[in-house]
Amino acid sequence: MIATTGLDRLEIERLVRGALRNVLRPGCSQPGEPTQPAAPAQPRLLVNVSARHAHVTQSDLERLFGTGHKLTPFKMLYQDGFFAAEETVTFVGPRQRVINNLRILGPCRDHSQVELAFTDSIQMGLDVPVRKSGDHRDSPGAYLVGPKGMIHLERGVIRHQRHVHMCQREADHYGVKDGDFLNLRVASDCPAVLEEVLVRVSAGAKLEVHIDTDEGNAVNLSKAKRVELFR
Ligand SMILES: [Zn+2]
């Protein structure tokens, strides 16, 4: 004889969905999603190189590409909602040195900014400070040229400070809060520990370190055997 469990169909569906969600996404819950019971598993760490790129405001975008222009997604990035756009601009630095095809990352921001690697900035003849996004203190400017116009950034050319995106649950796992620093160990044939990786905690963020092309090349990231974050 089969005993009835007392679980109704809706309850079973709810349990199955919950279990599936844990399998598909063992990290943080999305905003508005019920929090799952804590899983002790190590969060899956991704380290990605962020090549040089630009962020623009909607009004700067329209000056470069024409009135009413909207960014067209070219490739979605790992962080939900962010993308590399089809649109690129020409970066003109001092002494007419140029970077062609500088890609814009979307969506539009409330400030325009260019992120270069150290090697890029040396080639441009620019002294570029390491800054977190939106902090343009003592940073040089440049001209950006699009098919419909040009803008002059008085400042905002930075070398983006190495950082890690994470949600609150992952911050709890590492014992850090927004604005703290972690160390990143990369095991490869050029092993190194990158210090002072800025922690950026936001709802819905996925665990991902962003370093620039110089940093990625220095540790031979594409051939890395293991990456690890630690305090
Ligand atoms: Zn980032």
Side-chain angles (χ1 to χ4, degrees):
M1 185 178 162
I2 299 167
T4 53
T5 61
L7 289 174
D8 65 16
R9 186 188 166 83
L10 281 176
E11 176 72 358
I12 291 166
E13 279 181 9
R14 192 184 65 76
L15 288 172
V16 170
R17 271 201 216 98
L20 276 177
R21 199 157 41 218
N22 278 341
V23 169
L24 296 172
R25 178 81 198 284
C28 290
S29 44
Q30 297 293 333
E33 201 177 276
T35 307
Q36 298 300 318
Q42 184 81 5
R44 195 172 77 92
L45 175 63
L46 209 69
V47 179
N48 275 324
V49 166
S50 203
R52 60 186 179 223
H53 61 267
H55 297 282
V56 292
T57 63
Q58 178 60 36
S59 68
D60 281 349
L61 178 71
E62 295 190 19
R63 286 159 71 193
L64 292 162
F65 289 87
T67 306
H69 190 88
K70 292 269 184 281
L71 286 175
T72 306
F74 166 68
K75 179 171 167 263
M76 299 313 289
L77 301 178
Y78 181 63
Q79 297 295 326
D80 290 333
F82 295 88
F83 58 89
E86 276 183 7
E87 288 80 357
T88 62
V89 290
T90 302
F91 176 101
V92 183
R95 283 165 279 164
Q96 277 69 54
R97 295 188 193 174
V98 162
I99 296 174
N100 290 306
N101 302 318
L102 182 69
R103 193 160 301 277
I104 296 177
L105 297 194
C108 284
R109 300 246 179 129
D110 60 3
H111 55 265
S112 293
Q113 170 175 307
V114 173
E115 298 175 24
L116 299 181
F118 195 34
T119 303
D120 298 325
S121 58
I122 291 169
Q123 281 168 353
M124 286 297 105
L126 286 170
D127 187 7
V128 172
V130 177
R131 292 282 184 260
K132 62 181 185 181
S133 193
D135 179 357
H136 296 167
R137 273 176 303 129
D138 308 321
S139 63
Y143 291 91
L144 299 182
V145 185
K148 293 283 172 66
M150 182 177 81
I151 58 172
H152 177 219
L153 296 182
E154 282 188 17
R155 49 196 198 140
V157 181
I158 60 168
R159 203 181 161 197
H160 201 178
Q161 182 172 21
R162 57 184 70 148
H163 60 276
V164 54
H165 298 276
M166 63 177 69
C167 65
Q168 188 55 53
R169 182 157 152 179
E170 288 150 352
D172 293 343
H173 173 85
Y174 289 108
V176 291
K177 59 185 189 313
D178 189 63
D180 285 353
F181 294 106
L182 283 168
N183 299 299
L184 173 71
R185 176 176 287 118
V186 179
S188 70
D189 51 1
C190 305
V193 173
L194 300 180
E195 299 181 5
E196 294 195 13
V197 178
L198 178 68
V199 173
R200 294 174 55 180
V201 181
S202 58
K206 297 177 184 171
L207 185 63
E208 182 188 23
V209 171
H210 280 154
I211 56 179
D212 71 18
T213 43
D214 286 344
E215 293 163 334
N217 289 340
V219 298
N220 201 5
L221 181 68
S222 61
K223 303 258 174 60
K225 295 187 288 282
R226 194 162 35 81
V227 289
E228 177 197 0
L229 276 176
F230 66 97
R231 285 213 290 177

